[in-house]
């Protein structure tokens, strides 16, 4: 009632007093501006570098890592981060390749290395350095292995499936490196989950690339109910 009388007695003073109060929208905007945002990796190239030169650099050099401004020393990713837990997609391919009656030892070796290095690399927030180079080199080797096995797909349906995985993996790699804003969202799916599915298809249906003399005569790993 006091407020109502005040408004009736001196409406101009009441209006000025009300206008000085911070608005809810302004308060929300202030809160939003103070909310820390996830850091986006910095671009690797200057704006005037041609696209073809970027592409050549991406596919012919080891990994360089992601430069993140404002990253605290010693800061690590949480294991609940998609950049980490999506690595589970690499496990089925390793298990199938290792437990087959005619195993694929080269797939087991390459993908196990990728899994180990990539977990450490992403846990370390993709910092540049030797780990980034080793992870990038192993990932490119696995991609080349998948491409070679795609050309040896045993039938048309598998050729289509493997080719689709090839295209999605390559596309995700190029797009998330050309536009770093897409890295956090699409890297885990395009470069962890899709290659994991791809390697499982290869492990289930393809023959080893190694000469027969170098392929063990039995499973590398015996798991009851899985080995075949």
């Amino acid at each position: 009632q006091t407020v109502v009388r005040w408004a009736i007695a001196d409406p101009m003073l009441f209006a000025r007093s009300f206008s000085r109060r911070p608005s809810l929208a302004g308060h929300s905007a202030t809160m939003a501006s103070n909310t820390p945002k996830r850091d986006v990796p910095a671009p690797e190239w200057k704006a005037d570098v041609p696209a073809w030169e970027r592409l050549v650099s991406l596919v012919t050099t080891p990994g360089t890592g992601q430069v993140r401004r404002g990253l605290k020393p010693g800061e690590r990713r949480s294991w609940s981060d998609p950049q980490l837990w999506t690595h589970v997609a690499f496990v089925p391919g390793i298990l199938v390749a290792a437990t087959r009656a005619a195993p694929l030892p080269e797939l087991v070796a390459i993908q196990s290395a990728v899994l180990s290095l990539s977990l450490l690399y992403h846990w370390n927030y993709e910092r540049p350095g030797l780990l980034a180079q080793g992870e990038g080199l192993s990932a490119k080797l696995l991609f080349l292995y998948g491409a070679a096995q795609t050309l040896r797909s045993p039938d048309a349906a598998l050729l289509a499936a493997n080719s689709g995985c090839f295209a999605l993996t390559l596309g995700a790699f190029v797009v998330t490196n050309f536009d770093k804003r897409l890295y956090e969202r699409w890297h885990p799916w395009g470069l962890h989950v899709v290659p994991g599915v791809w390697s499982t298809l290869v492990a289930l249906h393809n023959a080893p690339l190694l000469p027969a003399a170098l392929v063990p005569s039995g499973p590398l790993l015996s798991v009851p109910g899985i080995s075949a």
Side-chain angles (χ1 to χ4, degrees):
Q1 292 179 352
T2 302
V3 173
V4 172
R5 294 194 194 100
W6 179 23
I8 295 173
D10 195 340
M12 295 299 294
L13 179 60
F14 177 79
R16 286 197 299 271
S17 175
F18 186 78
S19 65
R20 293 192 191 103
R21 297 184 181 184
S23 68
L24 184 60
H27 180 64
S28 300
T30 301
M31 290 183 63
S33 65
N34 292 332
T35 302
K37 296 181 179 179
R38 194 170 206 169
D39 193 39
V40 176
E44 294 182 24
W45 305 280
K46 295 180 180 179
D48 58 349
V49 176
W52 67 266
E53 190 173 326
R54 300 184 190 184
L55 184 59
V56 170
S57 176
L58 278 175
V59 300
T60 60
T61 59
T64 57
Q66 307 292 336
V67 176
R68 296 175 182 275
R69 302 184 181 92
L71 193 63
K72 298 178 182 177
E75 188 173 354
R76 300 291 185 268
R77 286 187 186 273
S78 166
W79 290 99
S80 62
D81 193 310
Q83 293 282 16
L84 292 179
W85 66 256
T86 51
H87 283 83
V88 71
F90 287 109
V91 175
I94 296 173
L95 288 177
V96 172
T99 57
R100 283 178 28 157
L104 279 70
E106 73 279 16
L107 176 54
V108 173
I110 298 171
Q111 189 145 306
S112 296
V114 169
L115 176 58
S116 302
L117 291 171
S118 185
L119 274 172
L120 290 173
Y121 172 65
H122 287 293
W123 179 65
N124 195 42
Y125 264 111
E126 304 88 45
R127 288 176 172 85
L130 290 176
L131 177 58
Q133 294 176 13
E135 189 276 342
L137 189 61
S138 67
K140 286 182 172 67
L141 180 59
L142 181 62
F143 178 79
L144 292 175
Y145 176 82
Q149 286 284 29
T150 295
L151 295 175
R152 301 173 76 249
S153 298
D155 57 50
L158 285 169
L159 176 60
N162 288 328
S163 297
C165 290
F166 170 91
L168 286 172
T169 301
L170 180 60
F173 175 69
V174 172
V175 168
T176 57
N177 277 282
F178 269 53
D179 188 346
K180 297 294 188 177
R181 295 170 298 178
L182 303 176
Y183 185 87
E184 289 293 332
R185 176 175 294 181
W186 294 112
H187 180 96
W189 309 103
L191 290 162
H192 299 166
V193 175
V194 173
V197 172
W198 188 9
S199 67
T200 302
L201 288 173
V202 169
L204 285 169
H205 303 288
N206 283 48
L209 290 183
L210 292 176
L214 299 178
V215 178
S217 57
L220 299 174
L221 178 67
S222 294
V223 179
I226 296 181
S227 301

